Amino acid sequence: MSESFFFPASCPLPTGCKDVVELAHGGGGRLTHELVERLFRPAFATCNEDFTHDGATFDAGNERLAFTTDSYVVRPLFFPGGDIGSLAVNGTVNDLAMCGAEPRYLSVGLVIEEGFALATLQRVVESMRAAALAANVRIVTGDTKVVERGKGDGLYVNTSGVGVVRAPAPVVPQRVRAGDAVILSGDIGRHGMAILAVREGLGFETELASDCAPLADTVLALIDEGIELHCLRDLTRGGLATGLIEIAEAANVAMDLIEAAIPVLDPVRGACELLGLDPLYVANEGRFVAFVPADHAGGAVERLRRFDPRATVIGRVVSAHGRPAVRLNALGGARELDMLSGEQLPRIC
Amino acid sequence: MSESFFFPASCPLPTGCKDVVELAHGGGGRLTHELVERLFRPAFATCNEDFTHDGATFDAGNERLAFTTDSYVVRPLFFPGGDIGSLAVNGTVNDLAMCGAEPRYLSVGLVIEEGFALATLQRVVESMRAAALAANVRIVTGDTKVVERGKGDGLYVNTSGVGVVRAPAPVVPQRVRAGDAVILSGDIGRHGMAILAVREGLGFETELASDCAPLADTVLALIDEGIELHCLRDLTRGGLATGLIEIAEAANVAMDLIEAAIPVLDPVRGACELLGLDPLYVANEGRFVAFVPADHAGGAVERLRRFDPRATVIGRVVSAHGRPAVRLNALGGARELDMLSGEQLPRIC
């Protein structure tokens, strides 16, 4: 996910920053949110634009374009179900899709550590090529920088992307309203647990593969079907919970979720229980939530299930009564979800 | 500078890579060129597109857009005349300008090392804001990743940019032809020597400031004047010599330069002599060469001198007779310029 912001005529920066950047500032949770609010939004944002979405949109001639960027620092570079190359292509393709756009062109910026094997670089490049072909985007421009040994971690990849907006109305958090259905496109938690399993040698490697996949075809199918899309959000860092809380805050709404409706595969649930992690906060790279009017929910789920049979309605949007919140309703009662203040699992994307 | 390439239906990758990435692979010289040719071009390029320019161009509706990316790993982060923030904005603005485009929108991708001071991050962000305002571009989308201590070097910045092409014909190396004038927009070598001076504590700091500056207004002025621009190239890594050799090879032409015509400030020349460096290979961040038909050269230089009085014709394009070359003609005779095979000065951008 990337944040979008627009440029101000004049915005004073906050002063008195004395702290240092922590891993959690990159984790997608509360500290990332604060960094955006304290530093980036005052510097880059105007007051009448959307800062809370996966990309920016603007007019170019007679078309509306979407533009987004993401850096990828995943460790290890290769994991079950993907690698930094396919992740970098699909992640940016998905951010464009979340703007209701058809992805068209990608750029690639590489920061390579001195001593990195050219053969490994070749594997990553080949993976990017294959992922771009699969997602029907063209990698059209690139840049390579090399840093000294000890000043990187093998390879960091940035991809930026340009797409053509296909949705007839803006697909943004501000359009989410009470009454909307919350639809999840598939099961959650696979990507984060696949990374953790291989990184920590937990022995789940054979069972868990990342869900890393391009989502543009799925989104375009919804648009072609005439589904009214109020907002879309792919669930990366911070998982389902963080994505929903961000949207609840941006749209000033509350959400009531049904815990039992949220699909989590047994190996993911088992690994999470073993490690004391909550699958609602574990990263995904091929899942999204869609907010649609209640009378479009049936059609949306039916269309989504042609891509993933686990797609389902997991809750509904209700009035915030002044306090945005995401509530999880289970057999034993309801609890409110918070953004993580720490870092559950660093460098999963 | 970023390289541009387009995506193939099918291109086998070269096999048998056994080597590792060296600093010189990121230096912009021969090894960078080889990396692009051996790895990136086979993976990403089609056969009928331009791989040798600073950005890609494509149609979007009734407009033609330019798209480019660059990562910035300059060390130190702050230097006389600029910092990583202004460099990242101006560098990408300039790559768009070199496509004959008016820069419009930028993305920012940050890779921050754990422990980096938030106050320093704030200075960089403020510098980006000011540079974007000065260059009349909007920073519209961004992303932040944090890596563990020892896995970065404080801060790496990627900027990608989208602009609207204003030149009436393609501005690409392939349009350079025998008879074209080679015009240089100002004196060379300041950026690289400013970085080196402050990095190595050479005591030149007071005399040498980077030439880091946005070039889009200058290029758009040439276009508005009706100057026929065959090719433009901003002179970054590898300096004037590398930029010209790349274009000579891409266009299959030779160039005859007049050494005495190339402006080099005394402090730059002095520092280069002291350190055994050739100013022709030292990086710039606010200089470019323009290739224009001979009968447009006078008008172009006149227009350029309103921005920098040192703008001048430094040579002309001649037939390659089958062997592209760049020759430097001086009082004592002529010598042919080669791309650097090593790294003259790493991480200057």
Side-chain angles (χ1 to χ4, degrees):
Chain A
M1 190 196 80
S2 68
E3 291 80 26
S4 78
F5 27 72
F6 274 80
F7 202 86
S10 161
C11 274
L13 281 169
T15 53
C17 290
K18 285 174 195 157
D19 301 325
V20 298
V21 174
E22 301 169 26
L23 279 175
H25 279 107
R30 186 57 67 192
L31 282 183
T32 304
H33 195 72
E34 279 182 22
L35 200 62
V36 171
E37 293 299 314
R38 282 176 65 189
L39 268 185
F40 303 136
R41 181 169 165 164
F44 301 139
T46 53
C47 302
N48 55 351
E49 299 282 357
D50 168 35
F51 332 106
T52 52
H53 205 38
D54 287 347
T57 60
F58 47 80
D59 289 318
N62 56 353
E63 293 220 80
R64 191 153 182 89
L65 299 184
F67 180 34
T68 187
T69 192
D70 256 324
S71 297
Y72 298 85
V73 299
V74 66
R75 187 174 53 95
L77 297 179
F78 300 88
F79 49 83
D83 59 75
I84 193 170
S86 57
L87 190 67
V89 169
N90 289 334
T92 293
V93 159
N94 293 350
D95 277 351
L96 293 171
M98 295 304 116
C99 299
E102 181 186 330
R104 289 280 183 84
Y105 303 101
L106 295 191
S107 66
V108 177
L110 304 176
V111 175
I112 312 174
E113 187 185 6
E114 182 187 14
F116 190 68
L118 277 169
T120 310
L121 182 60
Q122 185 176 5
R123 280 180 68 195
V124 172
V125 165
E126 169 59 25
S127 171
M128 297 192 82
R129 188 178 90 86
L133 271 174
N136 199 26
V137 290
R138 295 165 77 188
I139 296 173
V140 292
T141 190
D143 174 60
T144 306
K145 293 294 188 305
V146 181
V147 296
E148 298 89 344
R149 260 174 235 271
K151 302 294 184 188
D153 196 12
L155 177 66
Y156 299 142
V157 179
N158 176 283
T159 50
S160 301
V162 174
V164 178
V165 174
R166 291 286 172 237
V171 180
V172 291
Q174 288 72 16
R175 283 189 68 223
V176 172
R177 62 200 60 176
D180 280 0
V182 184
I183 300 174
L184 176 60
S185 72
D187 63 291
I188 58 167
R190 276 200 236 172
H191 176 72
M193 296 316 292
I195 295 284
L196 188 61
V198 68
R199 193 191 294 172
E200 309 296 339
L202 295 178
F204 306 126
E205 291 89 330
T206 50
E207 294 176 83
L208 287 175
S210 168
D211 59 335
C212 180
L215 296 169
D217 282 355
T218 316
V219 169
L220 295 174
L222 293 174
I223 292 169
D224 288 345
E225 199 83 356
I227 305 292
E228 192 178 331
L229 299 171
H230 286 166
C231 187
L232 301 168
R233 176 64 53 97
D234 62 334
L235 307 171
T236 58
R237 292 183 287 186
L240 174 65
T242 304
L244 294 180
I245 293 166
E246 282 175 356
I247 289 170
E249 291 183 354
N252 191 27
V253 296
M255 299 178 199
D256 277 311
L257 308 181
I258 305 142
E259 184 169 38
I262 299 169
V264 183
L265 295 193
D266 283 343
V268 170
R269 193 178 296 282
C272 281
E273 277 172 13
L274 201 66
L275 297 163
L277 299 174
D278 185 340
L280 294 178
Y281 291 90
V282 175
N284 314 270
E285 287 293 340
R287 298 291 180 262
F288 68 100
V289 285
F291 293 83
V292 307
D295 58 343
H296 284 227
V301 168
E302 190 191 321
R303 194 71 193 80
L304 286 172
R305 284 188 176 160
R306 292 186 224 166
F307 294 92
D308 188 328
R310 294 186 190 89
T312 186
V313 174
I314 60 165
R316 67 193 178 110
V317 178
V318 296
S319 172
H321 297 298
R323 207 178 63 82
V326 178
R327 289 180 292 265
L328 190 68
N329 298 283
L331 226 60
R335 67 179 170 105
E336 192 174 322
L337 299 180
D338 269 331
M339 269 197 207
L340 286 187
S341 52
E343 172 62 85
Q344 175 156 288
L345 181 60
R347 293 181 58 188
I348 45 72
C349 62
Chain B
M1 190 196 80
S2 68
E3 292 80 27
S4 79
F5 28 72
F6 273 80
F7 201 84
S10 162
C11 273
L13 281 169
T15 53
C17 291
K18 285 174 196 158
D19 300 327
V20 298
V21 174
E22 301 168 26
L23 279 176
H25 279 108
R30 186 58 67 191
L31 283 183
T32 304
H33 195 73
E34 278 182 24
L35 200 62
V36 172
E37 292 300 313
R38 281 176 67 190
L39 267 185
F40 303 136
R41 182 169 163 161
F44 301 138
T46 53
C47 302
N48 56 352
E49 298 283 357
D50 167 35
F51 329 107
T52 52
H53 205 40
D54 286 348
T57 59
F58 48 78
D59 289 318
N62 56 354
E63 295 220 80
R64 190 152 183 88
L65 299 184
F67 181 33
T68 186
T69 193
D70 256 324
S71 296
Y72 298 85
V73 300
V74 65
R75 190 173 54 93
L77 298 179
F78 300 88
F79 48 83
D83 59 74
I84 193 169
S86 58
L87 190 67
V89 169
N90 289 334
T92 292
V93 159
N94 292 349
D95 278 350
L96 293 170
M98 296 305 116
C99 299
E102 181 186 329
R104 287 281 184 84
Y105 303 101
L106 295 191
S107 66
V108 177
L110 304 176
V111 175
I112 311 174
E113 187 185 7
E114 182 187 13
F116 189 69
L118 276 169
T120 311
L121 182 60
Q122 186 176 4
R123 280 180 66 195
V124 172
V125 165
E126 170 59 24
S127 172
M128 298 192 82
R129 187 179 90 86
L133 270 174
N136 200 24
V137 290
R138 293 165 78 188
I139 296 174
V140 292
T141 189
D143 175 59
T144 306
K145 294 294 189 304
V146 181
V147 296
E148 297 89 346
R149 259 174 235 272
K151 301 296 183 188
D153 196 11
L155 178 65
Y156 298 142
V157 179
N158 176 283
T159 50
S160 300
V162 174
V164 178
V165 175
R166 291 284 173 237
V171 180
V172 292
Q174 289 71 17
R175 285 188 66 223
V176 172
R177 62 201 59 176
D180 281 358
V182 185
I183 300 173
L184 177 60
S185 72
D187 62 292
I188 58 167
R190 275 200 237 173
H191 176 71
M193 295 317 291
I195 295 284
L196 188 60
V198 68
R199 195 191 293 170
E200 308 297 337
L202 295 178
F204 307 127
E205 290 88 332
T206 51
E207 293 176 85
L208 288 175
S210 169
D211 58 337
C212 180
L215 296 170
D217 282 354
T218 316
V219 168
L220 295 174
L222 292 174
I223 293 169
D224 288 345
E225 198 84 353
I227 305 293
E228 193 178 330
L229 299 171
H230 287 166
C231 186
L232 301 168
R233 176 63 53 97
D234 62 334
L235 305 172
T236 59
R237 290 184 288 187
L240 174 65
T242 305
L244 293 180
I245 293 166
E246 283 175 355
I247 289 170
E249 292 183 354
N252 191 27
V253 296
M255 298 178 200
D256 278 312
L257 309 182
I258 305 141
E259 185 170 36
I262 300 170
V264 183
L265 294 193
D266 283 342
V268 170
R269 193 179 297 282
C272 280
E273 276 171 14
L274 200 68
L275 297 164
L277 298 175
D278 185 340
L280 295 178
Y281 292 90
V282 175
N284 314 271
E285 287 293 339
R287 298 291 178 263
F288 68 101
V289 285
F291 295 82
V292 307
D295 59 344
H296 284 227
V301 168
E302 190 193 321
R303 195 72 193 80
L304 285 172
R305 284 189 176 160
R306 290 187 225 167
F307 293 92
D308 188 327
R310 296 187 187 90
T312 187
V313 174
I314 60 164
R316 66 193 178 110
V317 178
V318 297
S319 172
H321 298 298
R323 207 178 64 81
V326 178
R327 289 181 292 264
L328 190 69
N329 298 282
L331 225 61
R335 68 179 169 104
E336 190 173 322
L337 299 180
D338 269 332
M339 267 196 209
L340 287 187
S341 52
E343 171 62 84
Q344 174 155 290
L345 181 59
R347 293 181 57 189
I348 44 72
C349 62

